[in-house]
Amino acid sequence: MSTTGATADPLAALGALPGVAESVESVRKAVDRVYGHRIMRRRSNEITSEAALRGARGSAALSGADWALEEVRRRTDFSGDDEARAVGAALRLTAEAGQLLSVWRQSPLRVLARLHLVAAAAKSDQVGRPRQKGEPVDEPLVRLPLPDAEEAHGRLDGLAGLVMAGGSAPALVTAAVVHGELLALRPFTSHNGLVARAAARIVLINSGLDPKSVCPAEVGHAELGRAAYLTALDGYVSATPEGVSAWIAHCGRAVELGARESTAVCEALQRGAA
Protein backbone atom coordinates (compact mmCIF):
# COMPACT_ATOMS: atom_id res chain seq x y z
CA MET A 1 0.00 0.00 0.00
CA SER A 2 1.25 3.46 -0.82
CA THR A 3 1.17 5.64 2.25
CA THR A 4 0.99 8.84 0.26
CA GLY A 5 -2.30 10.44 -0.57
CA ALA A 6 -4.34 13.57 -0.95
CA THR A 7 -5.44 13.85 2.66
CA ALA A 8 -3.43 15.85 5.16
CA ASP A 9 -3.34 12.89 7.55
CA PRO A 10 -3.60 9.67 5.53
CA LEU A 11 -3.04 7.47 8.58
CA ALA A 12 -5.98 9.08 10.35
CA ALA A 13 -8.07 8.47 7.24
CA LEU A 14 -7.39 4.75 7.60
CA GLY A 15 -8.97 4.92 11.02
CA ALA A 16 -12.28 5.65 9.29
CA LEU A 17 -12.25 2.39 7.34
CA PRO A 18 -15.08 -0.02 8.14
CA GLY A 19 -14.38 -2.05 11.25
CA VAL A 20 -11.21 -0.20 12.26
CA ALA A 21 -12.82 1.85 15.03
CA GLU A 22 -14.18 -1.35 16.55
CA SER A 23 -10.72 -2.94 16.44
CA VAL A 24 -9.15 0.12 18.05
CA GLU A 25 -11.71 0.08 20.87
CA SER A 26 -11.34 -3.66 21.44
CA VAL A 27 -7.56 -3.30 21.69
CA ARG A 28 -7.89 -0.43 24.14
CA LYS A 29 -10.12 -2.51 26.41
CA ALA A 30 -7.74 -5.48 26.29
CA VAL A 31 -4.75 -3.29 27.14
CA ASP A 32 -6.65 -1.57 29.95
CA ARG A 33 -7.42 -4.95 31.50
CA VAL A 34 -3.72 -5.77 31.77
CA TYR A 35 -2.76 -2.38 33.17
CA GLY A 36 -5.61 -2.56 35.65
CA HIS A 37 -4.47 -5.87 37.10
CA ARG A 38 -3.36 -5.59 40.73
CA ILE A 39 -0.06 -7.37 39.98
CA MET A 40 0.90 -4.58 37.57
CA ARG A 41 1.01 -2.13 40.45
CA ARG A 42 3.75 -4.06 42.25
CA ARG A 43 5.52 -6.25 39.72
CA SER A 44 5.22 -4.53 36.36
CA ASN A 45 8.95 -4.95 35.64
CA GLU A 46 8.55 -8.72 35.82
CA ILE A 47 5.59 -8.60 33.45
CA THR A 48 7.56 -6.44 31.03
CA SER A 49 10.52 -8.84 31.07
CA GLU A 50 8.32 -11.86 30.52
CA ALA A 51 6.40 -10.12 27.74
CA ALA A 52 9.70 -9.29 26.03
CA LEU A 53 10.80 -12.93 26.12
CA ARG A 54 7.48 -14.21 24.85
CA GLY A 55 7.30 -11.53 22.17
CA ALA A 56 10.77 -12.43 20.90
CA ARG A 57 9.80 -16.09 20.78
CA GLY A 58 6.67 -15.21 18.79
CA SER A 59 8.54 -13.04 16.32
CA ALA A 60 11.15 -15.75 15.75
CA ALA A 61 8.37 -18.29 15.17
CA LEU A 62 6.97 -16.11 12.39
CA SER A 63 10.44 -16.12 10.85
CA GLY A 64 10.59 -19.91 10.86
CA ALA A 65 12.11 -20.65 14.28
CA ASP A 66 9.14 -21.93 16.26
CA TRP A 67 10.86 -22.90 19.50
CA ALA A 68 9.21 -23.74 22.79
CA LEU A 69 9.28 -20.87 25.26
CA GLU A 70 11.33 -22.85 27.76
CA GLU A 71 13.94 -23.58 25.11
CA VAL A 72 14.28 -19.86 24.40
CA ARG A 73 14.50 -19.21 28.12
CA ARG A 74 17.13 -21.91 28.66
CA ARG A 75 19.48 -21.28 25.75
CA THR A 76 22.45 -18.94 25.97
CA ASP A 77 24.12 -19.69 22.64
CA PHE A 78 22.26 -18.62 19.51
CA SER A 79 25.13 -18.90 17.04
CA GLY A 80 24.28 -22.33 15.64
CA ASP A 81 21.92 -22.94 12.73
CA ASP A 82 19.53 -20.55 10.99
CA GLU A 83 16.78 -21.11 13.56
CA ALA A 84 19.07 -20.37 16.48
CA ARG A 85 20.30 -17.21 14.78
CA ALA A 86 16.71 -16.09 14.15
CA VAL A 87 15.83 -16.54 17.82
CA GLY A 88 18.98 -14.67 18.85
CA ALA A 89 18.14 -11.85 16.46
CA ALA A 90 14.60 -11.59 17.85
CA LEU A 91 15.91 -11.42 21.42
CA ARG A 92 18.45 -8.74 20.52
CA LEU A 93 15.82 -6.66 18.74
CA THR A 94 13.45 -6.83 21.68
CA ALA A 95 16.17 -5.56 23.98
CA GLU A 96 17.30 -2.87 21.54
CA ALA A 97 13.81 -1.53 20.83
CA GLY A 98 13.56 -0.10 24.32
CA GLN A 99 16.74 1.91 23.76
CA LEU A 100 15.43 3.59 20.60
CA LEU A 101 12.12 5.01 21.76
CA SER A 102 13.31 8.61 22.06
CA VAL A 103 14.79 8.53 18.54
CA TRP A 104 11.84 7.04 16.68
CA ARG A 105 9.70 10.12 16.09
CA GLN A 106 12.69 12.28 15.13
CA SER A 107 14.49 9.78 12.90
CA PRO A 108 12.61 6.56 12.11
CA LEU A 109 15.00 5.69 9.29
CA ARG A 110 17.91 5.82 11.70
CA VAL A 111 16.04 3.51 14.06
CA LEU A 112 15.22 1.05 11.29
CA ALA A 113 18.86 0.99 10.19
CA ARG A 114 19.92 0.33 13.76
CA LEU A 115 17.38 -2.47 14.14
CA HIS A 116 18.68 -4.14 11.00
CA LEU A 117 22.25 -3.80 12.23
CA VAL A 118 21.32 -5.43 15.53
CA ALA A 119 19.31 -8.21 13.89
CA ALA A 120 21.95 -9.11 11.30
CA ALA A 121 24.88 -8.92 13.75
CA ALA A 122 27.28 -9.23 10.83
CA LYS A 123 30.09 -7.21 9.33
CA SER A 124 28.88 -6.41 5.85
CA ASP A 125 28.35 -3.27 3.83
CA GLN A 126 24.75 -4.45 3.25
CA VAL A 127 23.91 -4.28 6.96
CA GLY A 128 22.32 -1.23 8.55
CA ARG A 129 21.15 0.45 5.36
CA PRO A 130 18.35 -0.02 2.80
CA ARG A 131 19.16 -2.37 -0.06
CA GLN A 132 20.55 -1.03 -3.31
CA LYS A 133 19.71 -1.88 -6.90
CA GLY A 134 20.44 -5.49 -7.72
CA GLU A 135 20.95 -6.65 -4.15
CA PRO A 136 18.97 -9.81 -3.32
CA VAL A 137 16.62 -10.10 -0.36
CA ASP A 138 16.68 -13.11 1.93
CA GLU A 139 13.10 -13.24 3.27
CA PRO A 140 11.85 -16.69 2.19
CA LEU A 141 8.63 -16.68 4.20
CA VAL A 142 7.27 -13.52 2.53
CA ARG A 143 6.66 -14.31 -1.13
CA LEU A 144 5.03 -11.08 -2.25
CA PRO A 145 6.33 -9.32 -5.36
CA LEU A 146 9.41 -7.38 -4.34
CA PRO A 147 9.47 -3.63 -5.11
CA ASP A 148 12.69 -2.49 -6.73
CA ALA A 149 15.20 -0.57 -4.63
CA GLU A 150 14.14 2.85 -5.98
CA GLU A 151 10.47 2.27 -5.13
CA ALA A 152 11.39 0.85 -1.74
CA HIS A 153 13.50 3.91 -0.92
CA GLY A 154 10.74 6.29 -1.97
CA ARG A 155 8.06 4.56 0.03
CA LEU A 156 10.36 4.21 3.03
CA ASP A 157 10.95 7.96 2.96
CA GLY A 158 7.19 8.49 2.74
CA LEU A 159 6.59 6.23 5.71
CA ALA A 160 9.24 8.05 7.74
CA GLY A 161 7.59 11.36 6.89
CA LEU A 162 4.25 10.15 8.18
CA VAL A 163 5.82 8.95 11.43
CA MET A 164 7.64 12.24 11.98
CA ALA A 165 4.52 14.27 11.16
CA GLY A 166 2.58 12.55 13.92
CA GLY A 167 -1.10 13.10 13.49
CA SER A 168 -4.29 11.85 15.07
CA ALA A 169 -4.27 8.24 13.89
CA PRO A 170 -4.83 5.62 16.60
CA ALA A 171 -1.69 3.78 17.68
CA LEU A 172 -3.01 0.50 16.30
CA VAL A 173 -3.40 2.00 12.83
CA THR A 174 0.08 3.54 12.80
CA ALA A 175 1.68 0.33 14.08
CA ALA A 176 -0.16 -1.77 11.51
CA VAL A 177 0.90 0.50 8.65
CA VAL A 178 4.55 0.56 9.77
CA HIS A 179 4.48 -3.22 10.15
CA GLY A 180 2.73 -3.89 6.85
CA GLU A 181 4.74 -1.40 4.84
CA LEU A 182 8.07 -2.79 6.00
CA LEU A 183 6.98 -6.33 5.16
CA ALA A 184 5.72 -5.22 1.76
CA LEU A 185 8.87 -3.25 0.93
CA ARG A 186 11.47 -5.53 2.53
CA PRO A 187 13.86 -2.58 2.43
CA PHE A 188 16.83 -4.53 3.82
CA THR A 189 18.62 -7.52 2.40
CA SER A 190 17.58 -9.69 5.35
CA HIS A 191 15.63 -9.82 8.66
CA ASN A 192 12.82 -7.58 7.39
CA GLY A 193 10.10 -9.47 9.24
CA LEU A 194 11.91 -9.25 12.56
CA VAL A 195 12.62 -5.55 12.01
CA ALA A 196 9.01 -4.84 11.00
CA ARG A 197 7.64 -6.43 14.16
CA ALA A 198 10.18 -4.62 16.35
CA ALA A 199 9.23 -1.31 14.74
CA ALA A 200 5.53 -1.98 15.34
CA ARG A 201 6.36 -2.67 18.99
CA ILE A 202 8.15 0.69 19.21
CA VAL A 203 5.06 2.45 17.83
CA LEU A 204 2.76 0.82 20.38
CA ILE A 205 5.08 1.77 23.25
CA ASN A 206 5.82 5.30 22.06
CA SER A 207 2.18 6.09 21.40
CA GLY A 208 1.30 5.52 25.03
CA LEU A 209 -1.02 2.62 24.21
CA ASP A 210 1.37 0.12 25.80
CA PRO A 211 4.04 2.22 27.55
CA LYS A 212 5.39 -0.65 29.67
CA SER A 213 5.47 -3.03 26.68
CA VAL A 214 3.37 -5.71 28.32
CA CYS A 215 1.09 -6.53 25.36
CA PRO A 216 3.40 -8.34 22.89
CA ALA A 217 1.61 -8.42 19.55
CA GLU A 218 4.22 -10.91 18.30
CA VAL A 219 2.71 -13.48 20.67
CA GLY A 220 -0.68 -12.94 19.09
CA HIS A 221 0.61 -13.08 15.53
CA ALA A 222 2.33 -16.38 16.28
CA GLU A 223 -0.82 -17.76 17.92
CA LEU A 224 -2.97 -16.76 14.95
CA GLY A 225 -0.48 -18.57 12.72
CA ARG A 226 1.84 -17.76 9.86
CA ALA A 227 -0.76 -18.61 7.21
CA ALA A 228 -3.26 -16.10 8.64
CA TYR A 229 -0.47 -13.54 9.01
CA LEU A 230 0.50 -13.82 5.35
CA THR A 231 -3.12 -13.80 4.20
CA ALA A 232 -3.78 -10.60 6.14
CA LEU A 233 -0.59 -9.11 4.70
CA ASP A 234 -1.87 -9.89 1.20
CA GLY A 235 -4.89 -7.76 2.07
CA TYR A 236 -2.69 -4.87 3.13
CA VAL A 237 -0.64 -5.05 -0.06
CA SER A 238 -3.82 -5.10 -2.17
CA ALA A 239 -4.41 -1.50 -0.96
CA THR A 240 -8.18 -2.06 -1.06
CA PRO A 241 -10.19 -0.64 1.84
CA GLU A 242 -11.33 -4.16 2.76
CA GLY A 243 -7.80 -5.57 2.62
CA VAL A 244 -6.21 -2.77 4.64
CA SER A 245 -9.02 -2.89 7.20
CA ALA A 246 -8.57 -6.66 7.54
CA TRP A 247 -4.82 -6.24 8.12
CA ILE A 248 -5.41 -3.61 10.82
CA ALA A 249 -8.00 -5.87 12.45
CA HIS A 250 -5.55 -8.78 12.33
CA CYS A 251 -2.89 -6.65 14.01
CA GLY A 252 -5.43 -5.57 16.59
CA ARG A 253 -6.36 -9.14 17.37
CA ALA A 254 -2.65 -9.92 17.81
CA VAL A 255 -2.31 -7.14 20.39
CA GLU A 256 -5.37 -8.45 22.21
CA LEU A 257 -3.88 -11.94 22.36
CA GLY A 258 -0.61 -10.49 23.60
CA ALA A 259 -2.54 -8.68 26.31
CA ARG A 260 -4.30 -11.90 27.21
CA GLU A 261 -0.93 -13.65 27.51
CA SER A 262 0.35 -11.06 29.97
CA THR A 263 -2.90 -11.18 31.91
CA ALA A 264 -2.30 -14.92 32.32
CA VAL A 265 1.23 -14.18 33.56
CA CYS A 266 -0.24 -11.71 36.08
CA GLU A 267 -2.68 -14.35 37.26
CA ALA A 268 0.11 -16.90 37.65
CA LEU A 269 2.19 -14.47 39.68
CA GLN A 270 -0.80 -13.67 41.82
CA ARG A 271 -1.25 -17.36 42.57
CA GLY A 272 2.44 -17.69 43.33
CA ALA A 273 2.88 -20.17 40.50
CA ALA A 274 5.48 -18.20 38.56
Side-chain angles (χ1 to χ4, degrees):
M1 174 189 174
S2 172
T3 54
T4 58
T7 61
D9 190 350
L11 291 179
L14 296 181
L17 290 175
V20 170
E22 291 82 352
S23 294
V24 169
E25 180 61 22
S26 184
V27 165
R28 168 54 66 189
K29 289 179 179 178
V31 173
D32 285 348
R33 280 194 292 272
V34 180
Y35 279 85
H37 199 285
R38 61 187 300 179
I39 288 293
M40 282 292 293
R41 293 196 293 271
R42 297 182 289 111
R43 303 175 71 174
S44 63
N45 288 343
E46 292 175 66
I47 307 302
T48 296
S49 296
E50 188 64 19
L53 183 72
R54 295 178 185 223
R57 192 217 72 83
S59 190
L62 291 167
S63 287
D66 193 1
W67 288 15
L69 179 63
E70 291 311 312
E71 178 66 9
V72 178
R73 199 189 304 278
R74 180 187 68 81
R75 287 281 286 267
T76 57
D77 181 8
F78 298 96
S79 62
D81 59 15
D82 287 347
E83 287 195 6
R85 287 191 288 272
V87 175
L91 288 167
R92 291 192 302 274
L93 283 174
T94 299
E96 187 70 17
Q99 309 302 313
L100 298 171
L101 299 175
S102 63
V103 185
W104 173 251
R105 284 289 295 272
Q106 288 71 42
S107 185
L109 295 182
R110 179 181 161 196
V111 169
L112 293 173
R114 175 62 184 171
L115 291 174
H116 185 246
L117 185 68
V118 168
K123 294 181 179 179
S124 168
D125 63 1
Q126 295 181 344
V127 171
R129 62 156 175 80
R131 58 186 166 89
Q132 298 176 0
K133 183 177 180 180
E135 291 181 338
V137 173
D138 180 16
E139 202 73 42
L141 299 178
V142 179
R143 302 189 182 279
L144 295 166
L146 183 69
D148 63 30
E150 183 178 0
E151 179 184 351
H153 287 203
R155 287 173 60 178
L156 197 60
D157 286 343
L159 180 65
L162 289 175
V163 170
M164 290 186 291
S168 60
L172 172 63
V173 172
T174 303
V177 169
V178 167
H179 188 167
E181 197 72 357
L182 291 174
L183 284 174
L185 296 179
R186 281 146 290 163
F188 302 105
T189 57
S190 65
H191 298 89
N192 290 285
L194 292 169
V195 168
R197 291 184 287 275
R201 173 186 283 265
I202 288 172
V203 172
L204 294 174
I205 299 169
N206 246 2
S207 67
L209 177 64
D210 183 20
K212 294 182 182 294
S213 192
V214 296
C215 303
E218 304 95 326
V219 168
H221 283 301
E223 183 174 336
L224 292 167
R226 194 182 306 151
Y229 183 67
L230 295 176
T231 297
L233 178 61
D234 284 342
Y236 175 82
V237 172
S238 75
T240 64
E242 297 80 10
V244 175
S245 179
W247 168 251
I248 294 171
H250 187 86
C251 291
R253 182 59 180 151
V255 176
E256 291 179 51
L257 290 171
R260 187 182 71 179
E261 183 91 351
S262 286
T263 300
V265 172
C266 288
E267 293 292 330
L269 288 173
Q270 185 167 278
R271 294 192 303 269

